[in-house]
Amino acid sequence: MKEKIINKSAELFLNLGFKSVTMDDIANELGISKKTIYQHFTNKTKLVEETTSQMFDKICEGIDCICNTSPNPIEELYQIKMFVMTFLKNEKTSPQFQLKKYYPQIHNNLHLKQFQKMHVSVKNSMQKGVDTGLFRENIDVDFISRMYFNGMSGIKDQNIFPTNIFTMEYLMENYLEYHLRAICTNKGLQTLEKFINKTNLN
């Protein structure tokens, strides 16, 4: 039952936002009493904490799988982007904004975990790109991987990128291309162009 509660909560939080969804909403959706939820979670904050943690773990598993099977670092970053967008396909509100506003401690902890995970995977990917001649050999891999995370976090700032002007798909797609064009060699740019052209044809 605990797993069912977490899965339904994740769906509702992404769809409606962390603040908007009540314990009553979750209970009604599952056809159970609110008391049943409180048997597993002492309060809503604890439910939000465990739900976001599980969502993060699932995304990490998917990213690890992509990193282990992707043909090159350029396609790897695009595949990760597409995977994350698919995972968040039901995100109709701005759950990250609500999480930051109403559950700042959970947001801060999650943000740190995201950085630790992304920094390692992006750093490894960039080093692979340098070693295979796709990325410039003179780039500071540690610095660029941190900048990449900072940029990916920054495009979620609605004050700078309002959702009525920019979709998250558009922002992620364009930031990724912007990032790659800054670090690619000529060989890397050819690989990038080939991949973009192939994607646009599909």
Side-chain angles (χ1 to χ4, degrees):
M1 179 52 72
K2 184 176 183 179
E3 194 70 18
K4 284 185 177 180
I5 294 169
I6 288 177
N7 290 337
K8 179 53 70 175
S9 299
E11 178 188 324
L12 291 173
F13 289 148
L14 285 177
N15 208 357
L16 303 170
F18 289 97
K19 174 66 174 175
S20 310
V21 176
T22 66
M23 298 295 251
D24 283 318
D25 293 331
I26 298 166
N28 290 337
E29 284 285 328
L30 287 167
I32 60 175
S33 69
K34 198 160 59 170
K35 184 180 177 183
T36 303
I37 299 178
Y38 284 117
Q39 287 174 351
H40 298 280
F41 305 95
T42 51
N43 51 48
K44 186 183 172 185
T45 300
K46 191 65 181 171
L47 174 59
V48 169
E49 184 178 22
E50 291 203 38
T51 301
T52 53
S53 179
Q54 182 158 307
M55 288 164 63
F56 174 77
D57 290 340
K58 284 183 179 178
I59 289 176
C60 286
E61 285 175 17
I63 289 173
D64 287 341
C65 183
I66 290 169
C67 291
N68 292 331
T69 58
S70 187
N72 63 65
I74 292 173
E75 290 194 37
E76 180 181 303
L77 285 174
Y78 273 97
Q79 287 171 355
I80 289 172
K81 187 268 298 183
M82 288 185 279
F83 167 72
V84 171
M85 288 305 299
T86 301
F87 195 87
L88 300 178
K89 64 184 181 297
N90 292 326
E91 185 179 308
K92 293 185 176 64
T93 56
S94 302
Q96 289 218 28
F97 175 78
Q98 287 198 11
L99 189 67
K100 184 177 182 179
K101 184 174 182 180
Y102 299 106
Y103 301 94
Q105 190 59 53
I106 295 174
H107 176 272
N108 291 340
N109 292 341
L110 188 63
H111 192 69
L112 180 60
K113 283 172 68 177
Q114 286 173 336
F115 167 69
Q116 290 167 341
K117 173 65 182 176
M118 201 166 169
H119 181 232
V120 172
S121 63
V122 172
K123 192 174 175 181
N124 291 339
S125 178
M126 292 212 180
Q127 190 58 56
K128 200 192 308 177
V130 171
D131 295 340
T132 54
L134 294 173
F135 300 156
R136 291 185 289 108
E137 62 179 16
N138 63 338
I139 63 171
D140 184 333
V141 170
D142 183 61
F143 171 74
I144 297 295
S145 61
R146 291 170 189 269
M147 284 293 291
Y148 181 72
F149 176 81
N150 195 51
M152 273 295 185
S153 300
I155 61 176
K156 295 171 185 170
D157 187 335
Q158 292 184 45
N159 292 319
I160 301 173
F161 300 103
T163 53
N164 63 321
I165 300 177
F166 304 100
T167 65
M168 187 49 64
E169 172 74 27
Y170 176 88
L171 290 171
M172 289 183 75
E173 183 80 22
N174 282 271
Y175 178 71
L176 183 50
E177 186 176 344
Y178 168 82
H179 160 76
L180 285 170
R181 288 190 181 281
I183 63 173
C184 276
T185 59
N186 286 333
K187 178 184 174 183
L189 286 172
Q190 288 173 4
T191 303
L192 175 62
E193 295 282 1
K194 187 176 178 181
F195 178 76
I196 290 174
N197 290 334
K198 183 178 75 174
T199 306
N200 289 340
L201 288 174
N202 294 337

